């Protein structure tokens, strides 16, 4: 989800469970989407990307789903581990040209033992 | 490769002083981006360069902010004069292709505090 002001949405899951983080985007012209992970004190780290001509893409333990009809993006993390605790951002590239990425506000994923 | 290198990691300065943030992109990358991150506004794109040329600086908040990229291996973001509301973490990122493809690689950021 998206946050307003100081409050990031928080998702708390048990270690070993699957996590699903959601993101809504607003620009139907966006054609490239990326999920980033940001740990405390570090820069955002690339996780996985997807282009608008795809609905699903899988990586190692992660899957990104894109629903262009409702402009929704999700990140699924399988068998979450303590190291998955971080803030997760979705980002979109608008217009398909040489633009910088536009980031969502982020979701804080907390892994409980 | 050491990744995107930013300096300094932390900067504390007094209001009115000039601040210069530095970035060394990954060798071979031809796009460079400066972002600012705050709790209130999240990650905001300030400016980006393609092949050392500034392409879009519409995200630069005021004329007090300026950025340069004199060569493919170095960029600076300058704030003059600095103000307390400039306090934030500033990230530099680089990529090989413009328009996406493999994502952007971010540096560790510079945490700026203006008092």
């Amino acid at each position: 989800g998206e946050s307003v002001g100081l409050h990031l949405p928080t998702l708390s899951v048990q270690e070993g469970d699957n996590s699903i983080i959601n993101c809504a985007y607003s620009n139907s012209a966006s054609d490239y989407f990326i999920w980033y992970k940001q740990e405390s004190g570090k820069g955002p780290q690339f996780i996985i990307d997807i282009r608008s001509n795809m609905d699903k893409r899988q990586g190692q333990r992660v899957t990104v789903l894109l629903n262009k009809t409702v402009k929704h993006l999700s990140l699924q993390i399988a068998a979450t581990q303590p190291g998955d605790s971080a803030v997760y951002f979705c980002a979109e590239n608008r217009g398909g040209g040489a633009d910088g990425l536009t980031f969502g506000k982020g979701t804080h994923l907390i892994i409980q033992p | 490769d050491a990744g995107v290198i930013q300096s300094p990691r932390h900067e504390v300065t007094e209001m009115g002083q000039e601040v210069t943030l530095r970035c060394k992109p990954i060798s071979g990358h031809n796009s460079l981006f400066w972002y600012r991150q705050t709790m209130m506004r999240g990650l905001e794109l300030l400016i980006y360069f393609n092949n050392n040329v500034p392409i879009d600086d519409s995200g630069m908040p005021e004329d007090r902010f300026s950025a340069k990229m004199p060569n493919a291996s170095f960029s600076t973001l300058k704030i003059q004069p600095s103000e307390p509301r400039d306090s934030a973490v500033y990230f530099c990122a680089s990529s090989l292709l413009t328009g996406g493809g493999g994502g952007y690689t971010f540096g560790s950021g510079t945490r700026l505090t203006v008092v």
Side-chain angles (χ1 to χ4, degrees):
Chain A
E2 297 295 332
S3 68
V4 176
L6 294 172
H7 302 291
L8 287 179
T10 298
L11 176 64
S12 183
V13 300
Q14 292 288 124
E15 183 178 351
D17 287 352
N18 297 334
S19 302
I20 299 177
I21 301 171
N22 297 303
C23 178
Y25 64 94
S26 57
N27 192 335
S28 57
S30 293
D31 60 358
Y32 177 63
F33 305 88
I34 308 177
W35 280 101
Y36 281 90
K37 171 186 180 183
Q38 186 175 25
E39 297 173 282
S40 180
K42 297 183 179 179
Q45 178 185 5
F46 173 87
I47 301 174
I48 190 168
D49 59 359
I50 188 169
R51 294 203 177 272
S52 59
N53 60 352
M54 302 174 68
D55 297 323
K56 178 179 180 180
R57 189 164 188 225
Q58 288 184 293
Q60 187 175 17
R61 281 203 308 122
V62 294
T63 301
V64 55
L65 299 177
L66 175 62
N67 186 330
K68 294 181 288 294
T69 302
V70 296
K71 292 184 283 189
H72 183 268
L73 197 66
S74 69
L75 175 70
Q76 300 178 1
I77 304 174
T80 50
Q81 304 167 359
D84 295 329
S85 292
V87 177
Y88 290 80
F89 295 93
C90 64
E92 60 182 305
N93 182 268
R94 301 186 172 185
D99 296 335
L101 295 172
T102 300
F103 282 80
K105 291 292 189 291
T107 296
H108 190 187
L109 178 64
I110 297 173
I111 311 300
Q112 296 182 342
Chain B
D1 198 317
V4 176
I5 300 173
Q6 292 187 247
S7 64
R9 284 299 310 273
H10 302 275
E11 176 80 31
V12 180
T13 190
E14 292 185 345
M15 181 174 62
Q17 296 297 307
E18 176 181 295
V19 175
T20 299
L21 311 181
R22 297 172 176 78
C23 175
K24 181 181 187 309
I26 290 175
S27 178
H29 281 190
N30 58 9
S31 293
L32 183 140
F33 307 83
W34 282 101
Y35 281 84
R36 177 172 69 175
Q37 186 175 37
T38 61
M39 285 296 293
M40 288 299 295
R41 301 175 67 90
L43 276 159
E44 301 173 281
L45 176 65
L46 300 178
I47 185 173
Y48 73 93
F49 297 82
N50 287 344
N51 296 314
N52 312 338
V53 176
I55 302 301
D56 185 355
D57 65 354
S58 60
M60 298 284 261
E62 300 173 33
D63 291 344
R64 299 183 295 107
F65 286 70
S66 62
K68 294 181 180 179
M69 192 165 186
N71 57 62
S73 60
F74 184 66
S75 178
T76 59
L77 177 68
K78 185 178 294 186
I79 308 173
Q80 166 63 20
S82 58
E83 297 182 4
R85 60 193 167 123
D86 301 331
S87 298
V89 181
Y90 291 80
F91 288 104
C92 176
S94 69
S95 70
L96 181 58
L97 296 171
T98 56
Y104 303 170
T105 302
F106 281 78
S108 297
T110 295
R111 180 174 294 277
L112 174 65
T113 303
V114 183
V115 297

